[in-house]
Amino acid sequence: KRFKALTTGHVIIMGRKTYDSIGKPLPNRTTIVISRTPGLQIDGVICTNSIEEALLKAKSLSREAIFIVGGAEIYALALALADQILVTQIHDIFEGDAFFPEIDDMLWEEISREEHHNGELGYAFVTYISKFWWAFIANIAKPKTVIFYTFLY
């Protein structure tokens, strides 16, 4: 529900593998897919070959927040380019094969945390902002680049 509420009406950027796992463009969002395959075309999707190209295209389409929604390689590339990180921390341990890069507290400041419970499962919505001064100044003149990620611990 949170993902849908936050990203509806916005541009979302994802890698091709993440797109393939979803299988279609998400409704009421502009979807940009990053792929190494030159000339890739997917109906209803804008295809690019780099994170930089995807962000330039997204910023040409919208002055609103742009959401980076996966996968692991795209998160790693986008981390240095983002102004804000929105994380859902699930308080449990699950097996996985892809991981979000470590959030360095020298570069990122946690500004909010909302704890929730759904039956036995606890989770938190956590927001981080970049500590770089230019990130704040740049926000005046450009749309925010936001990473949206769910991880388990």
Side-chain angles (χ1 to χ4, degrees):
K1 288 182 181 181
R2 182 173 191 241
F3 178 86
K4 183 178 181 179
L6 288 171
T7 62
T8 294
H10 294 279
V11 176
I12 59 173
I13 298 173
M14 67 184 77
R16 187 207 34 90
K17 291 177 190 174
T18 299
Y19 177 80
D20 287 347
S21 72
I22 297 168
K24 62 181 179 181
L26 295 176
N28 304 313
R29 297 161 189 91
T30 301
T31 302
I32 299 177
V33 171
I34 302 170
S35 172
R36 290 186 190 97
T37 305
L40 178 67
Q41 294 183 347
I42 302 172
D43 287 339
V45 170
I46 298 165
C47 296
T48 66
N49 297 116
S50 70
I51 187 70
E52 295 82 7
E53 183 184 358
L55 286 169
L56 283 173
K57 184 63 177 174
K59 290 173 184 180
S60 75
L61 296 170
S62 176
R63 299 297 302 161
E64 301 294 322
I66 298 160
F67 290 87
I68 312 292
V69 299
E73 187 174 340
I74 301 304
Y75 287 137
L77 293 170
L79 198 56
L81 306 172
D83 307 302
Q84 187 175 33
I85 304 172
L86 304 178
V87 175
T88 303
Q89 292 179 339
I90 300 173
H91 307 316
D92 205 340
I93 298 173
F94 299 89
E95 288 191 37
D97 59 0
F99 302 94
F100 192 82
E102 182 177 339
I103 298 173
D104 185 341
D105 62 5
M106 296 296 288
L107 304 175
W108 296 94
E109 181 175 349
E110 182 180 318
I111 61 165
S112 71
R113 175 179 292 268
E114 298 174 31
E115 294 289 341
H116 298 271
H117 289 79
N118 183 0
E120 302 260 334
L121 186 63
Y123 59 96
F125 297 143
V126 185
T127 301
Y128 297 88
I129 59 169
S130 172
K131 288 185 177 180
F132 288 113
W133 67 269
W134 48 262
F136 299 115
I137 293 170
N139 280 335
I140 297 167
K142 71 174 182 80
K144 289 183 179 177
T145 302
V146 180
I147 296 177
F148 191 96
Y149 180 67
T150 299
F151 78 93
L152 316 165
Y153 77 98

